[in-house]
Amino acid sequence: MDTANQLASVGTFQVLKLPLGFIRVLEWLFSIFAFATCGGYTGQLRVSVDCMEKASSNLSIGIDFAYPFRLHQVSFEAPMCEATRRERLFLIGDYSSSAEFFVTIAVFAFLYSLFATIIYIFFQNKYRENNRGPLIDFIVTVVFSFVWLVSSSAWAKALSDVKIATDPDEVQLLISACKVQTNKCGSLQGPRWSGLNTSVAFGFLNFVLWAGNIWFVFKETGWHKGASRLADGASEKQAGTFNQQPYNQGSFDQSESYNTQGNLGQPSEYSPVGGPTSYSNQM
C-alpha cells in the first residue's frame, strides 16, 4: 500500500484529462476489443445429407472452425449414399496470415499504449526533458496508424472470403452425394458473424484514434515548438517594423523653425530700407 501511495503521489494523473493521455487510454481499451473479438472466435455450420437409402443419411453434419482460420485443415465426414461408405472432406482456403497480422498489431498496440500511458503519468518530466521521447512517440504513432489501416483492410477482405468459404450452400458443393439429384442436401445452420464484424469495426476505429492522435503527439515534439517560435519571432519583427516612424519628426520641426526664423530676419522686398512707411508721410 505504501508503494502504491508513493506512486500515486508522484504520478500526474491530470494528463489523462488532456487529449494526449485520454486518447491513449481509448487506444489501449479498443485494442483489447479488437484482438479479443477476432482471436477468440469459434464458429460452426451444419448441413444435412438425405440419401435415398435412409440408413446412409446423415441429417446433421457439424463443421467447426476457429481462429486463425486455416480452413484447409478443417475436416468433416459426409456420407456417400453408397451403402455405409463415407468420405472425408476439407474446407477451402487459408486466411491465417491476415487474421494473425490483425491480432498481432492489436496486441502490440495494446502494449505500447499501456506503456505510453504509464510514461505520461509517472515520468512526464523525463518524457519532456528533451526531444527524444516525444519524437519516438510521434514516429511510433504514425507507424501504428499506417499498420492499423493495412491490417484492418486485409482482415476485412479475409473475413469476406471466410464467409464465402463457410457458407453452407458452398460447403454442399464439396460433398459428392449432393451432386446426385436423387439425394437431398440442405443447410441447417450458418455461422454467426457478429463477433468478427465487430472486430473489423474496432480495427478501423483504432486507425481513426491513432491517426487523430498524431497531431497531439506532434505538438510535444521540438519540430512544432521550433516552428511556433519562428512564427512568433516573425510576427514580432513585422509588428516592430510597422511601429517605426517613416520620418524624423524632430528634424522636420527643427528645419521648419530655422526657415521661419530666417525669413523673419530678412528684410521684405516690398519695404525698402529707409523709405517712407506710408503715403501720408510722403505728402
Side-chain angles (χ1 to χ4, degrees), residues 3-281:
T3 304
N5 292 332
Q6 290 177 358
L7 290 176
S9 61
V10 173
T12 306
F13 290 92
Q14 295 295 328
V15 71
L16 299 181
K17 297 181 180 180
L18 300 177
L20 179 65
F22 181 70
I23 295 178
R24 279 285 183 248
V25 175
L26 292 180
E27 292 170 353
W28 172 77
L29 184 63
F30 286 118
S31 61
I32 296 176
F33 293 153
F35 71 74
T37 52
C38 180
Y41 178 82
T42 57
Q44 185 184 65
L45 63 100
R46 289 185 177 276
V47 295
S48 63
V49 178
D50 188 7
C51 305
M52 290 187 62
E53 298 179 3
K54 300 301 181 182
S56 302
S57 301
N58 189 343
L59 302 180
S60 181
I61 303 173
I63 305 172
D64 298 325
F65 63 97
Y67 173 85
F69 306 104
R70 294 188 178 94
L71 300 183
H72 66 287
Q73 297 179 356
V74 177
S75 63
F76 62 97
E77 291 186 354
M80 298 184 65
C81 294
E82 297 177 0
T84 58
R85 294 181 57 189
R86 293 180 175 273
E87 60 178 348
R88 188 179 183 185
L89 302 171
F90 293 86
L91 297 180
I92 298 175
D94 182 8
Y95 308 98
S96 59
S97 59
S98 299
E100 290 175 341
F101 179 49
F102 179 80
V103 172
T104 301
I105 296 301
V107 171
F108 279 108
F110 160 76
L111 295 175
Y112 180 79
S113 57
L114 178 61
F115 173 76
T117 304
I118 294 174
I119 295 296
Y120 295 161
I121 295 174
F122 299 105
F123 304 98
Q124 187 174 4
N125 293 331
K126 292 185 178 180
Y127 173 78
R128 296 180 175 177
E129 185 176 5
N130 51 45
N131 192 39
R132 181 178 300 177
L135 185 59
I136 295 175
D137 195 17
F138 172 74
I139 295 174
V140 173
T141 302
V142 172
V143 172
F144 266 110
S145 301
F146 175 74
V147 295
W148 266 121
L149 177 62
V150 174
S151 63
S152 299
S153 301
W155 170 230
K157 177 61 173 62
L159 177 58
S160 178
D161 295 337
V162 170
K163 291 179 179 180
I164 296 175
T166 57
D167 186 3
D169 294 333
E170 294 293 330
V171 174
Q172 292 177 27
L173 300 178
L174 302 176
I175 303 175
S176 301
C178 296
K179 299 176 182 179
V180 181
Q181 295 182 355
T182 56
N183 302 322
K184 296 180 180 180
C185 298
S187 302
L188 301 179
Q189 176 185 342
R192 296 181 179 178
W193 304 112
S194 58
L196 294 183
N197 292 334
T198 304
S199 68
V200 174
F202 278 121
F204 286 105
L205 182 58
N206 275 284
F207 161 69
V208 173
L209 288 174
W210 285 84
N213 203 22
I214 292 176
W215 167 247
F216 298 104
V217 179
F218 176 72
K219 290 176 66 176
E220 300 294 327
T221 62
W223 295 338
H224 179 267
K225 295 178 180 179
S228 300
R229 284 193 291 267
L230 289 176
D232 294 340
S235 61
E236 291 177 359
K237 184 177 180 180
Q238 186 177 7
T241 303
F242 282 116
N243 290 332
Q244 291 180 356
Q245 295 181 352
Y247 58 86
N248 193 331
Q249 184 70 26
S251 61
F252 178 78
D253 294 341
Q254 186 177 2
S255 62
E256 182 180 4
S257 176
Y258 175 78
N259 293 332
T260 304
Q261 293 176 0
N263 292 333
L264 290 176
Q266 292 179 357
S268 176
E269 59 180 344
Y270 296 103
S271 301
V273 178
T277 60
S278 67
Y279 181 77
S280 61
N281 291 335

